[in-house]
Amino acid sequence: MKYLHLTATIAAAAMLCACGGKQQIELETAKAARGEITKTVTATGTVESKTQVDVGTQVTGIIDKLYADYNSVVKKGELIAEIEKTLLDSELKSANASMESARLTYEYNKTNYERDKKLHERQLISDYEFETSRKEYEVSKTAYEKSQADRVRAAKNLNYAEIYSPIDGIVISREVEVGQTVVSSMNVANLYVIADLENMRVIADVDEADIGQVKVGQEAKFTVSAFPDDVFHGVVTEVRLNPTTESNVVTYEVVVDAPNPEMKLIPGLTAEITIYTVREKNVLTIPQKALHFTPHDYPGSPSLPKADPAPESAPEAKRVWVLESGRLVAHEVTTGASSGTSVVVTSGLSDGDIIAVGYDVEAGHNDDAPSGDGGERSPFAPKPPQRNNKK
């Protein structure tokens, strides 16, 4: 019990010594000023062409000529390849001959039918002869129509031997060589991949915790390792709701369209993207913590400004304290967007108002005493122990 009493006595003496040191209490303030407020979401994505077309062929044949290669700039409607036309041309000639033969048969049977029809009306031929004549006419008419369709298909196939670019763009892949046989089947045989590199987009993977803040129309910027000193800009055009789960991490795809006039962006680059979920310019802002400030009356600190009584207001009303003529005056304010550290004030304050944000406690007169941490720590809380500089 003797040792316990001695320990309590030493602790009490230490507290008296700590409280005996002088402390300086200062009011922290900030100025309401106009500026820009932003809040962002970051993600990683992949650059790809907004328009990319696989160019193929609908006919079977041998590649005869190629007029475009990797990185060739092509225009819509430009001839870029040809398939050997000998067989296709012969098929068209055969179709023309078949159609001409069917036409002659059709016209002959049509003449016979019209003649037999008149004879049958006069009862000069039997019903059997008339029905036979009509059947031959209708069969030849159908055969003629089929031959016309076959001729159209053969002509189209011959036209398909010439491959034209469907868009303005750049050839980013060539899949065939001259002399190679391409086979038309249910899947079109690809010859080229052409992309419009003037209009690119980034497919970004946004974390589930941030996806609720991302909306169509928001501005974005991104960088790629290929051009580390360049910053590219874009706009969110699509938020895809299909989730992707990998290693228990859920992400959503966000599409950011980005113009590429200098043609620096190419498909496949990895982009580090920043999306501005909040971005307002020329707005009146104050620190967020000003909304949580409450004035205190600290005895022994006459330099602190006194606070006027706060007016009656609704519990949910937001209030800040403005320094006016050496006193703190409560102002009810209406706030807007917040960045987490700053908040927009839409009414209740003017540009240049001095706002109270907290109290700063510092040790006084002792040059070796540590300063306060800048927060709203109570001036009566025990100070950190002083360093002994005696050697």
Side-chain angles (χ1 to χ4, degrees):
M1 295 298 292
K2 178 179 180 180
Y3 294 107
L4 180 60
H5 177 72
L6 179 59
T7 303
T9 302
I10 294 174
M15 290 185 64
L16 289 174
C17 291
C19 294
K22 294 183 179 180
Q23 290 180 326
Q24 183 179 357
I25 305 174
E26 295 182 354
L27 180 68
E28 289 186 17
T29 59
K31 181 182 291 187
R34 291 198 169 272
E36 179 178 333
I37 185 170
T38 61
K39 189 175 183 180
T40 61
V41 167
T42 58
T44 302
T46 303
V47 178
E48 65 177 37
S49 174
K50 188 176 178 181
T51 303
Q52 181 171 304
V53 179
D54 295 336
V55 181
T57 175
Q58 290 184 296
V59 294
T60 298
I62 298 174
I63 299 296
D64 188 30
K65 296 177 183 178
L66 293 175
Y67 300 107
D69 205 341
Y70 286 95
N71 301 331
S72 295
V73 178
V74 296
K75 298 293 183 181
K76 182 178 181 180
E78 180 180 342
L79 181 64
I80 57 178
E82 284 188 36
I83 295 176
E84 209 281 326
K85 300 179 180 178
T86 302
L87 292 179
L88 297 173
D89 189 56
S90 64
E91 288 178 1
L92 178 59
K93 291 179 179 179
S94 175
N96 286 333
S98 297
M99 184 183 71
E100 181 64 16
S101 175
R103 183 185 68 82
L104 293 175
T105 302
Y106 163 69
E107 291 179 352
Y108 173 77
N109 289 331
K110 180 180 179 182
T111 302
N112 287 341
Y113 167 70
E114 290 175 349
R115 183 191 62 230
D116 291 346
K117 182 179 180 181
K118 294 179 181 179
L119 294 175
H120 183 262
E121 289 174 352
R122 298 179 184 177
Q123 297 183 352
L124 297 177
I125 61 175
S126 65
D127 292 342
Y128 174 78
E129 291 176 314
F130 173 69
E131 293 296 335
T132 301
S133 176
R134 183 169 64 179
K135 184 196 72 171
E136 291 175 350
Y137 162 70
E138 291 178 350
V139 169
S140 62
K141 179 181 178 182
T142 301
Y144 178 47
E145 291 174 349
K146 179 181 180 301
S147 67
Q148 288 177 311
D150 290 341
R151 195 269 175 194
V152 170
R153 182 173 63 253
K156 274 292 184 181
N157 286 341
L158 182 59
N159 290 336
Y160 288 146
E162 297 179 345
I163 314 299
Y164 297 90
S165 174
I167 62 170
D168 295 342
I170 294 178
V171 176
I172 62 174
S173 177
R174 176 172 59 81
E175 308 292 338
V176 295
E177 300 286 348
V178 173
Q180 181 176 338
T181 300
V182 290
V183 179
S184 176
S185 59
M186 295 299 294
N187 297 321
V188 176
N190 287 336
L191 307 181
Y192 295 99
V193 177
I194 300 177
D196 176 13
L197 297 188
E198 292 186 359
N199 297 285
M200 305 295 284
R201 65 183 181 182
V202 178
I203 307 298
D205 296 323
V206 177
D207 189 84
E208 62 176 324
D210 300 324
I211 193 64
Q213 305 175 50
V214 180
K215 307 295 180 185
V216 172
Q218 292 173 343
E219 298 179 19
K221 66 178 182 180
F222 61 94
T223 59
V224 294
S225 57
F227 303 98
D229 297 329
D230 293 337
V231 177
F232 303 91
H233 299 272
V235 178
V236 176
T237 57
E238 186 179 359
V239 179
R240 297 175 178 173
L241 303 182
N242 184 33
T244 300
T245 304
E246 185 174 349
S247 300
N248 294 326
V249 177
V250 180
T251 59
Y252 293 83
E253 287 186 346
V254 173
V255 181
V256 176
D257 284 3
N260 187 31
E262 298 180 0
M263 310 291 280
K264 289 185 176 181
L265 296 174
I266 56 178
L269 293 178
T270 299
E272 300 294 333
I273 190 165
T274 300
I275 301 172
Y276 290 93
T277 57
V278 174
R279 190 173 194 181
E280 297 186 14
K281 299 180 180 180
N282 194 28
V283 290
L284 190 63
T285 64
I286 61 172
Q288 182 82 34
K289 62 181 181 178
L291 298 174
H292 307 290
F293 171 80
T294 301
H296 296 284
D297 184 14
Y298 293 120
S301 298
S303 61
L304 290 177
K306 303 301 180 183
D308 289 348
E312 293 291 334
S313 60
E316 65 274 7
K318 297 179 180 179
R319 175 187 298 158
V320 297
W321 293 84
V322 180
L323 188 60
E324 298 179 0
S325 302
R327 299 186 67 85
L328 292 175
V329 180
H331 284 227
E332 288 191 5
V333 295
T334 304
T335 59
S338 171
S339 67
T341 57
S342 300
V343 62
V344 174
V345 176
T346 57
S347 66
L349 291 179
S350 300
D351 192 359
D353 284 346
I354 305 300
I355 313 299
V357 297
Y359 289 106
D360 185 27
V361 181
E362 295 183 354
H365 302 304
N366 186 352
D367 294 336
D368 294 329
S371 61
D373 60 4
E376 294 186 47
R377 188 177 62 190
S378 171
F380 304 109
K383 296 188 298 181
Q386 303 298 316
R387 185 178 58 201
N388 188 356
N389 290 331
K390 292 183 180 181
K391 304 242 183 221

